[in-house]
Amino acid sequence: KPCVVLIGMCIVGLTCLAVAEGWRSAVPRPPMPRVPPPTANFFARLLPPPPPNPADVYQPVLSVSGGLPSSYQDLYDTAVRGVLQSLETEKAVEVDFPPIASINARSDGSAASEQKVHEANARFALQLCGRLADSSVCDGEPVLVGCSSGARAALGGDALSLRDAKQALKICAGDKVVVVVSPVLDEEWDAATALVEPPASAAGLVVVNGQLSNGLLPHAYFYRPMSAFSAVTGGVARLYPGPYECFDASGERVELEVPLARQGARALPDTKGAQMALQERFGGAR
């Protein structure tokens, strides 16, 4: 009999639950608000925005091409043309090319090689300043800045330090272009780019062959030779506002896209594809 009573109580309980559930389902309830799923960039909103990058404004005019330089004077003339064209629309630009032809001499760390680099950078910077002084993008002589004592010695007595340039720009008109030669340290790059901001407010900035942080500004001119089998196979070049292009050693353009690779706030051409294409073409011609 206890078992019968227990079974009966279970049946009564289940019946009551079924009746209650049916009553609850019969009573209308307001719809539950829909919560949108989290988006993929939800946490990205909490992070600071990425720094500006030259790749953000890279919109090349495909019909513009500087070709492969046939000599250093040809390189200088093309680079100056790129600077004059770029300063019509850009506030600050870079020129980036090997100052001397011998890569080993440039990078062996000796005082003699360092002096050669300073002298080569000075030759280009002085030619650039002369052309800027005669152009419409600069009012009178540009402000010439050497980022090291060696650079200033090679540039001559008119070259200023970054600190002196900032003070000079505060008292002269804001239509001066500043040519900064070979910044290396982050502090030098920061001081150089600050020259086009208040209170200095230069009309334009050209960085010549900066190191370590090169690619921080759009390239008015870029040239990088490619080599393989102990020989120069060609190079990658850009003349503003054209694209980065690949050329073989004879100066013939190679139909190959050279993309910009982002590196934080920097943007440099990705030359791996050009290197392989030129090596294959050069090897096939041997």
Side-chain angles (χ1 to χ4, degrees):
K1 287 185 178 180
C3 292
V4 173
V5 173
L6 180 60
I7 293 172
M9 291 176 63
C10 290
I11 293 173
V12 171
L14 292 173
T15 304
C16 292
L17 286 173
V19 171
E21 185 63 29
W23 178 80
R24 286 178 61 192
S25 61
V27 177
R29 287 178 292 176
M32 293 292 291
R34 296 187 62 185
V35 179
T39 57
N41 63 347
F42 173 77
F43 293 105
R45 298 175 185 174
L46 306 178
L47 300 175
N53 188 289
D56 299 333
V57 295
Y58 178 58
Q59 296 180 337
V61 178
L62 300 182
S63 60
V64 176
S65 176
L68 203 66
S70 58
S71 65
Y72 259 88
Q73 188 55 54
D74 181 32
L75 185 154
Y76 291 171
D77 293 339
T78 307
V80 168
R81 183 153 51 99
V83 169
L84 296 178
Q85 292 172 169
S86 64
L87 289 180
E88 296 286 348
T89 54
E90 304 286 350
K91 188 80 169 177
V93 295
E94 282 183 47
V95 172
D96 189 352
F97 59 84
I100 56 180
S102 175
I103 302 299
N104 290 333
R106 182 189 180 191
S107 59
D108 65 7
S110 69
S113 294
E114 185 177 0
Q115 181 63 26
K116 289 180 180 179
V117 170
H118 288 320
E119 292 171 354
N121 281 332
R123 279 195 296 272
F124 170 73
L126 292 172
Q127 288 191 32
L128 174 62
C129 287
R131 294 283 295 277
L132 282 169
D134 296 333
S135 72
S136 60
V137 299
C138 181
D139 183 16
E141 293 289 332
V143 177
L144 184 58
V145 177
C147 291
S148 67
S149 58
R152 290 191 293 274
L155 290 166
D158 292 335
L160 304 176
S161 66
L162 282 164
R163 179 179 298 178
D164 291 341
K166 183 177 180 180
Q167 296 299 322
L169 286 168
K170 287 181 181 179
I171 60 176
C172 70
D175 48 8
K176 292 285 188 181
V177 173
V178 185
V179 177
V180 177
V181 178
S182 197
V184 179
L185 304 176
D186 288 343
E187 293 80 3
E188 293 173 341
W189 279 94
D190 291 342
T193 54
L195 294 176
V196 290
E197 305 296 336
S201 300
L205 168 68
V206 184
V207 173
V208 176
N209 289 335
Q211 301 177 53
L212 298 185
S213 290
N214 51 320
L216 197 65
L217 304 172
H219 283 126
Y221 180 76
F222 177 90
Y223 170 60
R224 188 70 69 244
M226 302 282 110
S227 62
F229 310 110
S230 301
V232 175
T233 57
V236 171
R238 188 214 183 183
L239 170 66
Y240 186 95
Y244 295 90
E245 299 176 292
C246 177
F247 299 92
D248 66 15
S250 67
E252 181 181 351
R253 186 177 183 275
V254 179
E255 294 298 329
L256 174 75
E257 180 183 1
V258 182
L260 268 182
R262 294 173 181 262
Q263 302 177 19
R266 305 164 62 201
L268 291 169
D270 185 349
T271 60
K272 292 191 295 290
Q275 177 75 35
M276 294 180 65
L278 291 172
Q279 179 175 331
E280 181 178 352
R281 177 176 291 204
F282 182 84
R286 295 179 70 187

